[in-house]
């Protein structure tokens, strides 16, 4: 059984634990990126030309809120502008950073806002932060930590090529 198969055999509570754990693992990618910036992160929106500062604490606040199941810091409102800017290409991050940002955002939407977010989307985005050679073992380890009854049931597949998302290529 593949790690993906194991994930989909989990009940909703265990999937939530996996989502939160994978997003927790993705958060350091965001933190490392913002710490390495010599100047504040800013962008200009193309619609009206306004300049905006990137809210550096937003992903951490979103993850805390997702764990609690409630919006603890007006996260929903704070995400409106930067998500629009990312979708409009007014704001860009390196791929791993963008995957981390979206994984945490989607985890927040699912567990705080009750959004109809596909379970695999969060897994895929969070794992895409990491090197493709690590994703199957990371997912298996995370599943085993969330539900020890599944321990040892995954077959780690050989790497596959030709996919846009690193996580999907090895699961």
């Amino acid at each position: 059984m593949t790690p993906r198969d194991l994930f989909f055999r989990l009940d909703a509570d265990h999937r939530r634990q996996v989502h939160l754990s994978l997003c927790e693992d993705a958060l350091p990618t965001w933190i490392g990126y913002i710490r390495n910036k010599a100047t504040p992160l800013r962008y200009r929106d193309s619609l009206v030309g306004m300049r905006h500062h990137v809210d550096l604490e937003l992903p951490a606040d979103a993850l805390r809120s997702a764990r609690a199941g409630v919006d603890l810091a007006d996260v929903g409102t704070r995400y409106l502008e930067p998500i629009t800017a990312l979708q409009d290409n007014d704001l860009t991050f390196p791929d791993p950073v963008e995957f981390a940002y979206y994984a945490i955002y989607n985890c927040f939407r699912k567990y705080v806002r009750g959004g109809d977010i596909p379970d695999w989307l969060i897994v895929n985005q969070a794992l895409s932060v990491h090197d493709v050679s690590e994703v199957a073992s990371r997912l298996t380890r995370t599943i085993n930590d969330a539900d020890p009854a599944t321990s040892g049931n995954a077959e780690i597949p050989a790497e596959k090529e030709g996919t846009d998302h690193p996580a999907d290529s090895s699961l």
Side-chain angles (χ1 to χ4, degrees):
M1 187 176 303
T2 67
R4 181 184 176 123
D5 295 334
L6 281 178
F7 175 77
F8 282 111
R9 291 185 67 166
L10 296 173
D11 63 28
D13 288 338
H14 286 108
R15 286 185 192 187
R16 180 178 185 273
Q17 289 175 21
V18 169
H19 286 149
L20 292 168
S21 181
L22 291 174
C23 287
E24 193 75 43
D25 287 347
L27 185 60
T29 300
W30 169 257
I31 293 169
Y33 176 73
I34 62 173
R35 281 193 181 145
N36 289 330
K37 291 293 181 191
T39 60
L41 291 174
R42 297 182 186 136
Y43 63 94
R44 183 180 305 275
D45 71 58
S46 57
L47 186 60
V48 294
M50 288 184 60
R51 292 188 62 78
H52 301 273
H53 290 272
V54 174
D55 184 343
L56 304 180
E57 298 301 318
L58 183 54
D61 289 346
L63 189 53
R64 268 193 303 283
S65 293
R67 281 201 180 284
V70 63
D71 191 340
L72 300 171
D74 198 29
V75 170
T77 302
R78 290 165 53 202
Y79 259 123
L80 292 175
E81 174 55 39
I83 289 298
T84 300
L86 279 166
Q87 293 168 347
D88 291 346
N89 291 318
D90 294 335
L91 174 61
T92 59
F93 300 122
D95 285 346
V97 175
E98 187 169 333
F99 282 126
Y101 197 84
Y102 272 117
I104 295 167
Y105 169 67
N106 284 321
C107 191
F108 168 82
R109 288 177 55 212
K110 183 172 190 76
Y111 296 112
V112 175
R113 293 287 173 100
D116 186 22
I117 309 299
D119 285 334
W120 191 250
L121 179 65
I122 297 167
V123 171
N124 188 42
Q125 289 172 331
L127 288 172
S128 293
V129 166
H130 306 289
D131 186 82
V132 70
S133 67
E134 299 176 20
V135 297
S137 61
R138 279 182 178 273
L139 179 55
T140 300
R141 187 172 47 251
T142 304
I143 290 168
N144 290 342
D145 289 348
D147 184 10
T150 63
S151 185
N153 290 325
E155 297 171 16
I156 308 298
E159 186 175 325
K160 299 176 189 173
E161 295 183 22
T163 181
D164 292 334
H165 298 286
D168 273 342
S169 70
S170 65
L171 298 173

